[in-house]
Amino acid sequence: MQELRDAGVMLRLIYEAMKKKGIDTDLIFSRLGINADYVYTEQLRTPHSAQTFFWQAVEDVSGDPDIGLHLGQLLPVYKGQVLEYLFLSSPTFGEGLRRAKNYQRLLSDAANTDFFIEGDDACMVLDAASDDVRRLQHFNECFVQGLITFFRSLTDGEFHPSRIEFEHQRHEGHDHVKDVLGCDVVFGAKENRLYFPASLLSHASPHAEPELLDLHERFASEQVARLEKKDIVGQVERIVAELLDSGEVTLDAVATRLDIKPRTLRTRLTEAESSFNQVLADFRYRLARQLLATTDESIDEIVYLTGFSEPSTFYRAFKRWSEMTPIEYRKTAQGKDAMVDAM
């Protein structure tokens, strides 16, 4: 199964909110095995499954059981992204919403949002998370506020939710959530939903421009196509993980499992700005770091699990990758949260 990833802009917005809140971001990042520089990596896409570890670390460090709700209040407006441009250059807010729906993967591989009209309200089904994440309180309450802030910026401040439904349960703090979100809130619902007046769909954009809209749609299509090309990297990584203990981790073996010719696989990896050797090395390095940081496996066992033929080869490769020996890395990394190197 292809690993789902989120656009790095999601992490950047939350990082800015954490700084406004005065949270010790360095401590959070050290627990996650990353740093502030990582947040601004070009074309960053983070593992969607890491949301669980991330929000647990943020709650632990902040000591705030409602940290997702409170960070949502401080989120900067989502700006400077092609999805924003699609909204702005569309004739109405509703048209922008319809167009952005076609390119939601630019925000997250897990996104599958939809909207429909129900009486006087429009309803957005916020299927923007996997099964493991969609019931995550902090993620849901922060994400919906990010959407509201974004939609408000697009409608000259006119956007206001009518009702919000969350899949996650809450045993307390219901009134506080309603006060923050400014509308009725339901918990334990079947889906995460955002209701708002349907009349807002016809809100005209003062920046509407047909020629720009065509340009932005082409740009969005190109970005989605680029992501689709990179899907091959995830497919290769999955098969590499399955083949590592067999010792048959070759381009030919992976191509056979994918039912394509080796030459075709090589070409597709090149189009994804990678290569088989690069994918294999990156996967081995990530796996080695995870095993060293989160397990007590012996070095000999890690050598075997990462598919190296002998310890000396593993030591040389790891030193080349990290500028540390495996033992040095283990001493510095032990004790970090399970998210370490999932990024």
Side-chain angles (χ1 to χ4, degrees), residues 152-164:
R152 195 164 288 159
S153 73
L154 297 170
T155 57
D156 304 312
E158 292 187 17
F159 185 93
H160 292 282
S162 306
R163 185 172 81 257
I164 297 172

Side-chain angles (χ1 to χ4, degrees), residues 34-50:
I34 60 176
N35 56 38
D37 291 338
Y38 171 81
V39 177
Y40 294 98
T41 302
E42 187 177 356
Q43 297 182 1
L44 174 65
R45 290 185 74 84
T46 61
H48 183 70
S49 59

Side-chain angles (χ1 to χ4, degrees), residues 120-135:
D120 293 332
D121 277 336
C123 174
M124 277 193 72
V125 179
L126 304 180
D127 190 4
S130 63
D131 290 340
D132 294 335
V133 177
R134 63 162 44 98
R135 296 181 185 87

Side-chain angles (χ1 to χ4, degrees), residues 164-291:
I164 297 172
E165 298 180 356
F166 288 123
E167 287 192 46
H168 67 266
Q169 295 280 1
R170 253 187 178 269
H171 301 296
E172 57 185 8
H174 294 67
D175 290 340
H176 179 47
V177 178
K178 291 179 181 179
D179 289 341
V180 170
L181 298 179
C183 65
D184 289 334
V185 181
V186 175
F187 297 95
K190 292 183 179 180
E191 294 179 309
N192 293 310
R193 292 186 171 190
L194 171 64
Y195 290 86
F196 60 91
S199 58
L200 284 170
L201 294 173
S202 60
H203 179 86
S205 171
H207 306 285
E209 175 56 59
E211 291 183 2
L212 279 179
L213 180 57
D214 289 341
L215 177 64
H216 295 150
E217 285 213 271
R218 287 199 301 272
F219 185 40
S221 296
E222 290 170 1
Q223 288 195 347
V224 170
R226 192 178 301 121
L227 289 177
E228 290 173 347
K229 284 182 178 180
K230 290 184 179 294
D231 286 347
I232 189 65
V233 173
Q235 294 171 22
V236 171
E237 284 188 340
R238 175 178 56 79
I239 295 174
V240 164
E242 296 171 357
L243 295 177
L244 268 182
D245 59 356
S246 71
E248 294 295 328
V249 190
T250 64
L251 183 141
D252 286 358
V254 172
T256 297
R257 292 286 292 272
L258 289 171
D259 196 25
I260 60 178
K261 295 179 179 179
R263 183 174 60 184
T264 302
L265 175 56
R266 189 178 293 110
T267 299
R268 291 179 63 184
L269 287 171
T270 299
E271 291 174 346
E273 301 175 356
S274 188
S275 67
F276 179 75
N277 288 338
Q278 185 64 53
V279 174
L280 178 58
D282 288 348
F283 182 83
R284 281 174 158 173
Y285 181 34
R286 190 165 64 248
L287 178 60
R289 286 184 297 174
Q290 187 175 29
L291 292 170

Side-chain angles (χ1 to χ4, degrees), residues 35-101:
N35 56 38
D37 291 338
Y38 171 81
V39 177
Y40 294 98
T41 302
E42 187 177 356
Q43 297 182 1
L44 174 65
R45 290 185 74 84
T46 61
H48 183 70
S49 59
Q51 291 282 355
T52 303
F53 301 114
F54 172 78
W55 284 109
Q56 186 60 58
V58 175
E59 180 179 340
D60 290 345
V61 171
S62 68
D64 183 356
D66 287 329
I67 191 59
L69 181 70
H70 295 152
L71 286 180
Q73 294 176 280
L74 300 173
L75 285 176
V77 179
Y78 174 80
K79 280 188 173 295
Q81 306 290 320
V82 68
L83 290 178
E84 182 202 10
Y85 303 150
L86 280 173
F87 273 101
L88 293 176
S89 53
S90 294
T92 65
F93 175 70
E95 281 298 309
L97 200 59
R98 291 184 181 91
R99 283 185 168 84
K101 179 177 176 292

